[in-house]
Amino acid sequence: GENVEQHPSTLSVQEGDSAVIKCTYSDSASNYFPWYKQELGKGPQLIIDIRSNVGEKKDQRIAVTLNKTAKHFSLHITETQPEDSAVYFCAASSGQETSYDKVIFGPGTSLSVIP
Amino acid sequence: ETGVTQTPRHLVMGMTNKKSLKCEQHLGHNAMYWYKQSAKKPLELMFVYSLEERVENNSVPSRFSPECPNSSHLFLHLHTLQPEDSALYLCASSQDFGAPYEQYFGPGTRLTVT
């Protein structure tokens, strides 16, 4: 089955700097890669996702890149702000709509943005 | 506010107790999920319901028993739990079941088994 690894487990950056979180996956059939953000006391919330037919996707200060050959994908946050402090989860699945394919989550990265 | 509510938010129970967790979604979604979140571990999918029918049971011990009486409500019945079952239990829903559909998570129930 699919296995998703995520690094680093903790990350501290100064406000205004960039943060990068990297994930690898094992199943070459995976083609859907969402990223979730979990703030303290809340459940995870989708912030961006990417499909395998796209190499990069941006949404304001966040971007995700995908390298299908190497089976890794990354989350990039630019101009970090204190409200970006949270736990970030990457995930992977084969993304089929006609059958259930589990979304397999990575173990999470705890990001701290220092003012 | 994600449209998914969970009660109670915190629960302490003994190993011989029976309790239930409740989840309600106000989004008109057809699929609902239970996840277990333990420290330093990935989210573990426990159960999936689509249109009130269980479509996934991820090798969860029988001391956890789910119930989905309608597409808006999901319960997790707990009995004779073990200390290692202490964790944050998250409920989620999505428009339909399947990976491309965004999952909306509730805030979770923090369970402590003593």
Side-chain angles (χ1 to χ4, degrees), chain A residues 48-67:
Chain A
I48 195 168
D49 57 13
I50 191 169
R51 297 183 183 274
S52 59
N53 58 348
V54 175
E56 182 176 5
K57 184 176 179 180
K58 290 184 179 179
D59 183 3
Q60 299 182 342
R61 295 187 297 106
I62 61 173
V64 58
T65 59
L66 171 65
N67 184 328

Side-chain angles (χ1 to χ4, degrees), chain B residues 31-43:
Chain B
M32 297 188 76
Y33 312 76
W34 278 118
Y35 285 89
K36 177 182 179 182
Q37 185 175 34
S38 305
K40 310 287 186 182
K41 293 178 67 176
L43 286 167

Side-chain angles (χ1 to χ4, degrees), chain B residues 4-9 22-24 34 89-91 106-109:
Chain B
V4 180
T5 58
Q6 290 187 243
T7 54
R9 294 293 307 274
K22 179 182 177 182
C23 175
E24 184 174 1
W34 278 118
Y89 288 84
L90 291 163
C91 173
T109 294

Side-chain angles (χ1 to χ4, degrees), chain A residues 15-27:
Chain A
E15 182 177 357
D17 288 350
S18 295
V20 180
I21 302 170
K22 298 181 179 181
C23 290
T24 60
Y25 61 98
S26 59
D27 188 350

